Amino acid sequence: MVLKKSAAAVLFAGLLATVSHVAMAAESVNFVSWGGSTQDAQKQAWADPFSKASGITVVQDGPTDYGKLKAMVESGNVQWDVVDVEADFALRAAAEGLLEPLDFSVIQRDKIDPRFVSDHGVGSFYFSFVLGYNEGKLGSGKPQDWSALFDTKTYPGKRALYKWPSPGVLELALLADGVTADKLYPLDLDRAFKKLDTIKKDIVWWGGGAQSQQLLASGEASIGQFWNGRIYALQQDGAPVGVSWKQNLVMADILVIPKGSKNKAAAMKFLAHASSAKGQADFSNLTAYAPVNVDSVARLDSVLAPNLPTAYAKDQITLDFAYWAKNGQDIATRWNEWLVK
């Protein structure tokens, strides 16, 4: 009888261990980002190593869709666990109750640049809008700052600008018009649109990174506003493009967890890995976007480092994400009206 009880106990313990192992193996995180080379790099730098170390499967999904995120949360049927969003949306979504508060006993908040962390979001990466130009179109002329966009005599040709109503274009217009960085906010919208009116007929709009690269490399646009990583990629491919980092405008993507995530604990662990010194450095070395972890800089590739925003901190102007979170929807209405005038 004693032997039978012992055998039963061993069998029961074995079953528990098997069930536990299966449960661990079944744990997963649904990760949503923007697709393309950026999400490929996030998979390589974060998802694959995280899965290998933790046993938690990371399912890739996308693209990021703000309307879909909001609908999921409001319906109570949340299919996403970690979502890469723009910084201003992260703050607005938090204010609307759409996000889970982060667990900073799991995520090392003190290692994250304060510009890129809040109670409901931790930086994915940051980048700069820089002034890029086609050297073949401009010859010996080397534009220095955003004012060159509005000097069509010295720097002829089309101007490539980001078409969405988000941080960047209005700020560069005000800087070019003489507004100092410390006086940018609140944005003087009348002044910004008046400045943009002076080149409106010369603007070609881009909505994504690949399109912006094509416009500049082909010479369809001789000068414009670009994500720094896209300029670096063109230069690596041998395209005749130059860059000015003066007044580079800092923007960020933020990782958030939608309210009601079914895998919240696993999502917190994933965020801890993605925002770690190694995770951030590995992603930066793949993309030429900058790390949000302050300990990552020492891990950056020595050849790549001079091409990152981290090397141009003195020339940086960090866009006001909180201002845009509060005012972005009203600005978007005016922006869209101005576009069709």
Side-chain angles (χ1 to χ4, degrees):
M1 183 65 121
V2 173
L3 286 175
K4 286 182 179 178
K5 284 184 177 179
S6 297
V10 170
L11 178 61
F12 183 65
L15 286 170
L16 279 178
T18 300
V19 170
S20 177
H21 180 73
V22 170
M24 287 179 65
E27 198 171 9
S28 66
V29 170
N30 191 300
F31 174 66
V32 179
S33 191
W34 303 95
S37 59
T38 297
Q39 191 161 354
D40 290 342
Q42 289 169 325
K43 181 178 185 296
Q44 183 178 338
W46 305 340
D48 292 346
F50 173 74
S51 293
K52 185 176 181 180
S54 68
I56 298 171
T57 301
V58 180
V59 179
Q60 300 291 321
D61 202 349
T64 295
D65 183 317
Y66 299 154
K68 191 172 181 179
L69 185 155
K70 184 174 183 179
M72 281 184 182
V73 174
E74 290 178 345
S75 70
N77 184 25
V78 179
Q79 302 299 315
W80 295 345
D81 299 308
V82 175
V83 187
D84 188 307
V85 302
E86 292 164 298
D88 54 317
F89 176 80
L91 294 174
R92 187 164 65 249
E96 293 175 3
L98 301 177
L99 305 178
E100 293 284 354
L102 299 189
D103 184 351
F104 291 107
S105 70
V106 178
I107 301 160
Q108 285 190 284
R109 184 172 190 156
D110 63 334
K111 294 295 184 180
I112 309 301
D113 184 321
R115 294 178 294 173
F116 311 122
V117 63
S118 69
D119 290 347
H120 295 82
V122 64
S124 177
F125 58 92
Y126 81 90
F127 59 92
S128 288
F129 282 120
V130 292
L131 184 70
Y133 54 94
N134 186 301
E135 294 172 329
K137 287 290 183 179
L138 297 186
S140 59
K142 292 189 180 299
Q144 295 301 306
D145 58 32
W146 299 115
S147 65
L149 284 175
F150 300 87
D151 183 355
T152 55
K153 183 176 181 180
T154 306
Y155 307 105
K158 294 294 185 181
R159 277 75 176 117
L161 295 180
Y162 192 44
K163 74 175 182 179
W164 305 115
S166 63
V169 174
L170 296 173
E171 285 88 345
L172 70 83
L174 290 171
L175 290 166
D177 203 42
V179 177
T180 58
D182 62 330
K183 300 294 184 184
L184 273 177
Y185 300 97
L187 296 176
D188 184 336
L189 298 179
D190 290 339
R191 185 171 177 177
F193 282 113
K194 184 177 180 180
K195 186 68 173 177
L196 288 168
D197 279 336
T198 65
I199 58 166
K200 190 172 183 180
K201 64 181 177 59
D202 299 308
I203 297 173
V204 286
W205 300 101
W206 58 269
Q211 183 187 12
S212 74
Q213 289 173 302
Q214 190 276 329
L215 288 172
L216 189 62
S218 69
E220 183 178 345
S222 62
I223 189 172
Q225 163 207 20
F226 302 93
W227 294 327
N228 71 276
R230 295 293 181 162
I231 295 290
Y232 177 75
L234 286 176
Q235 292 174 329
Q236 292 303 105
D237 289 341
V241 300
V243 60
S244 170
W245 285 89
K246 189 171 182 182
Q247 299 176 327
N248 70 94
L249 301 174
V250 170
M251 183 58 178
D253 270 25
I254 303 292
L255 300 174
V256 300
I257 300 176
K259 189 79 170 178
S261 159
K262 296 180 176 65
N263 302 290
K264 186 168 69 170
M268 295 293 176
K269 294 174 185 176
F270 179 77
L271 291 191
H273 177 87
S275 60
S276 69
K278 185 178 188 303
Q280 283 289 299
D282 288 349
F283 177 79
S284 292
N285 286 332
L286 289 170
T287 62
Y289 292 123
V292 302
N293 191 300
V294 295
D295 290 342
S296 297
V297 176
R299 296 171 176 260
L300 296 176
D301 181 278
S302 59
V303 176
L304 179 64
N307 298 283
L308 293 179
T310 45
Y312 300 92
K314 290 182 179 179
D315 290 317
Q316 276 177 13
I317 299 169
T318 300
L319 298 168
D320 191 332
F321 316 136
Y323 172 85
W324 276 89
K326 183 178 180 180
N327 300 284
Q329 291 174 314
D330 290 338
I331 293 174
T333 299
R334 181 161 179 181
W335 174 273
N336 291 327
E337 290 172 352
W338 174 80
L339 279 181
V340 299
K341 279 183 181 178

